[in-house]
Amino acid sequence: MTLQERITSARDVARRLGLSHTAIQKAEQVGRIRRETDGSWDLERVRRDMIASAVPGRSPLATPGDDTPLGRLTLARLALGVEAQRLAIDETKGRLMDITAANHRIDEVAAGMRDAVLNWPARVSGQIAAEIGRDPHLVQTILQEQMNALLLEVADRLDPPASIQRDPRA
């Protein structure tokens, strides 16, 4: 019998592939393999389809590891499960936090820093003015102008105008 010849019996296909008749029936039912339009079986196509969808460790046709699409999919699914477990553990241990909570905390810290920087000229201007022999109000005004310019420059670096923002996907 040549390889191109069709087989009409599912039992014969199973015997030639070293599988059970039930395995062939189940594979056909779930769509892993299919008959030809005339109702016969193309043994080589059935072998290829069974190998491509074989679960490693469960089928004698399965190639070891991730050599088949199903094997690669199974491995990827396992890796995603492991990653999900790792993230859950990290969250439980407090190593992760919700993005909304993180943004809120960053805003709080930034506001505190901004307030401290804006209040600094008023706190130190009298001392500086006394040391250099100048008017305290003039020193405070100069310091505040310089601090405001510095804060605007930093803000521009951290949050550029929308017209020049780069695409985050780039």
Side-chain angles (χ1 to χ4, degrees):
M1 181 179 257
T2 66
L3 294 180
Q4 298 299 323
E5 213 169 315
R6 307 279 191 220
I7 300 171
T8 57
S9 166
R11 288 187 189 281
D12 194 26
V13 170
R15 184 181 53 75
R16 289 174 187 237
L17 294 178
L19 301 171
S20 69
H21 177 249
T22 306
I24 296 297
Q25 287 177 323
K26 285 182 181 179
E28 183 180 19
Q29 286 173 354
V30 297
R32 289 176 55 202
I33 59 173
R34 61 183 162 88
R35 295 175 187 261
E36 298 299 313
T37 54
D38 64 359
S40 65
W41 296 96
D42 178 346
L43 186 62
E44 284 308 306
R45 194 176 87 205
V46 170
R47 182 189 317 274
R48 279 192 317 270
D49 292 347
M50 290 293 286
I51 288 171
S53 61
V55 177
R58 290 189 56 201
S59 171
L61 296 178
T63 55
D66 59 353
D67 291 343
T68 66
L70 182 62
R72 288 189 297 275
L73 180 62
T74 302
L75 185 63
R77 190 173 173 194
L78 178 64
L80 285 174
V82 169
E83 182 67 10
Q85 288 174 346
R86 187 189 63 76
L87 288 173
I89 289 169
D90 285 350
E91 188 174 18
T92 301
K93 290 185 175 186
R95 292 186 281 205
L96 293 178
M97 78 182 330
D98 178 60
I99 188 78
T100 305
N103 283 337
H104 181 71
R105 183 68 183 128
I106 289 169
D107 289 346
E108 287 176 346
V109 170
M113 290 180 70
R114 180 200 63 222
D115 292 346
V117 167
L118 288 174
N119 290 329
W120 181 78
R123 285 194 348 247
V124 299
S125 62
Q127 185 180 8
I128 293 172
E131 287 183 23
I132 61 172
R134 295 291 183 172
D135 176 36
H137 180 69
L138 177 64
V139 171
Q140 181 178 350
T141 303
I142 292 170
L143 286 174
Q144 283 177 328
E145 288 173 357
Q146 293 301 313
M147 290 304 262
N148 285 338
L150 176 67
L151 289 174
L152 285 173
E153 181 183 330
V154 168
D156 286 343
R157 287 183 184 172
L158 295 176
D159 191 22
S163 62
I164 61 170
Q165 280 185 345
R166 292 188 314 191
D167 186 358
R169 296 169 290 175

